[in-house]
Amino acid sequence: MRPTPHRALVTGVFTAAALIALSLPAAARPETTAPVAAACTPTQTVVNGGFENGTSPWTESPTGIVTSRTGQSAHGGTAFAWLDGTGRTRTDTLTQSVTVPAGCATATLSFYLHVDTAETTSSTAYDKLTAKAGSTTLATYSNLDRASGYVRKTIDVSSYAGQTVNLAFTGTEDSSLQTSFVLDDIALDTSGTTTPPPADSVRTPAAPAYTVSLSSDSTGTVWNGHQSATFTNASATALGEVYLRLWDNYHGTCSAPPIKVSNVTGGTAGDLSVACTALKITLPAPLAQGQSATIGFDLGITVPDGADRFGHDGAFSFIGNALPVLAVRDGTGWHLDPYTNNGESFYSLAADFKVTLDHPSTLLVPATGTSTDTPGSSGRTVTTATASKVRDFAWAAGPFSKISGTSPGGVPVNVYSVSGISSANAQSMLSTAKSAVDAHAGRFGAYPYGELDAVIDNNFWFGGMEYPGFVLDLVSTTALTHEIAHQWWYGIVGDDEYNTPWLDESFTDYATDLAQGKTGSGCWSSVSWASSAEKITNSMAYWDAHSSRYSTVVYGYGKCALHDLRRVLGDTAMAKLLKDYAAAHWYGVSTTAEFKAAAQAATGTDLTSFWTQHRIDG
């Protein structure tokens, strides 16, 4: 993602117990698969969390908290829970008894909260909302958390596995100036398992091949069609099911998901889990090692409003992570981590895509891979994009301005700009892209994806976002150089972005420095570790609980550590290490342990103290 600081996701004031729970490592998250006994079945345990079925089984005090009255609006559907908002001394409580299943490594409480207040202070919490499990306060919010719309909150409640607890939201308001705490779409999702993992560590399902055919509405914000996925079980452990990740359901609700899968063939669809971002499909018979299968399904995509990696900025739609992709199972089980908006959760194996996009001819459709356009029905164009050995597929649609060129190294580069981007800025980004793709290719290996598309919009809140052969970015030389470096560190050399984000972000920021002639001098001049638990190699579970530190540590300290490693090894040895490491993991997956071993093999100096000093574990 972007090399710039980003917004905090969790703004509540947490108790020490909640902070400890949120900081737990995520390595044990994925669930194991049949035939291992007592495996966790991902599930959602809150009933009527969207309040569309009245109050049951919620208990409200006083009555009328669950409502659809005017003055506030729902996050999804028509009903919501409105606590306080009277401007006088008041206590409102909403409770439900929930059971957190045993055997699941991860249990996440999530809800959407809108805080609307007449308080004018920016420093005093007069009115408060607490979230509790039993007698333990999980989080506290106040009038200081005011926001114009809903904000999604997540809390790790894994420590309650096997227990039935009373989930309670309590709003307290003082004697003047109202604060409304509005809740909707409350869920408690479980995933992962604490039972023994499969017998081998092979990543599967392997060699995925996706075939997609979609047609859009007149605006490019609604797409419908069909997708199929063919895959092979590479593991000696039989494959009885697969999981599809419907990542962009994070941007909607379970009652109105923006990604809809229906009419599944080749298997039996189960319930959505992990906040409706995971769909289990049980295969007709377990696949033995080397056997292949194909699943198919109808697919509907509705792009929400907003300049996001999945969203539309007026007439311009950005459609990242919208195609369902297969989750990965390895020696720790299924990787079913939750979505993070703070960074990335995406972990997938290299795959082949053939995607046909039927759209109005007034819209340009940049996409992953190499694209060709052919005439469709009256006033429409069919864009066919093919991509080999990529981990995801993204596209955009809109009346973009397009300019093109070819890098000195022979890579075709296209820049697509939304309205408001000057021609001078577009040309500057084209020049940057051509220079960056060649600089990175010279250091890490030839760019393999054919053309490179850069989509430019200065309204992106996140700075930039990477997809194979396709990036979203602001007008920024540094950010675009960074996102293009992700073509190698995440794209070609894959990693588990949720559990080891440093393997793409730190390496990408280091590559950006090299491309811009920066040596990392003075890198540590303002270093300040927040705690002994803070490490460059922490997972997104940690960084979502400490979001203000993510960019500083993973981007900043991470690239500084790599500059330090270069100084230990020497420039030539470091350059060779990274190029050889990329070649050894081309279209594969990198791990921290493998990189540390490769670095150690490149020098006669014992690096044990180096890793400890730089807080690189694994």
Side-chain angles (χ1 to χ4, degrees), residues 331-343:
T332 61
W334 285 105
H335 286 258
L336 298 176
D337 297 301
Y339 186 101
T340 175
N341 209 31
N342 199 27

Side-chain angles (χ1 to χ4, degrees), residues 112 246-254 257-260 272 275-277:
Y112 286 84
L246 283 56
W247 287 115
D248 283 334
N249 280 347
Y250 166 85
H251 297 278
T253 67
C254 290
I259 310 299
K260 294 183 178 179
L272 289 166
C276 295
T277 66

Side-chain angles (χ1 to χ4, degrees), residues 99-101 107 133-138 156-165:
T99 299
V100 184
S135 61
T136 301
T137 299
L138 300 174
D156 189 314
V157 291
S158 303
S159 60
Y160 295 94
Q163 300 180 42
T164 297
V165 296

Side-chain angles (χ1 to χ4, degrees), residues 73-80 112 150-151 182-185 250-253:
S73 59
H75 176 259
T78 60
F80 49 90
Y112 286 84
Y150 280 94
V151 178
V182 188
L183 292 163
D184 204 355
D185 294 316
Y250 166 85
H251 297 278
T253 67

Side-chain angles (χ1 to χ4, degrees), residues 510-536:
Y510 175 75
T512 302
D513 274 5
L514 296 181
Q516 296 186 327
K518 298 178 181 178
T519 64
S521 60
C523 224
W524 299 101
S525 58
S526 59
V527 65
S528 177
W529 296 100
S531 72
S532 61
E534 186 171 84
K535 301 178 188 298
I536 289 173

Side-chain angles (χ1 to χ4, degrees), residues 12 32 43 71 111 187 282 288 313 324 347 546 551 583 598 611:
T32 57
T43 188
F111 51 90
T282 302
D313 184 9
Y347 177 29
H546 305 82
S551 180
W611 307 127

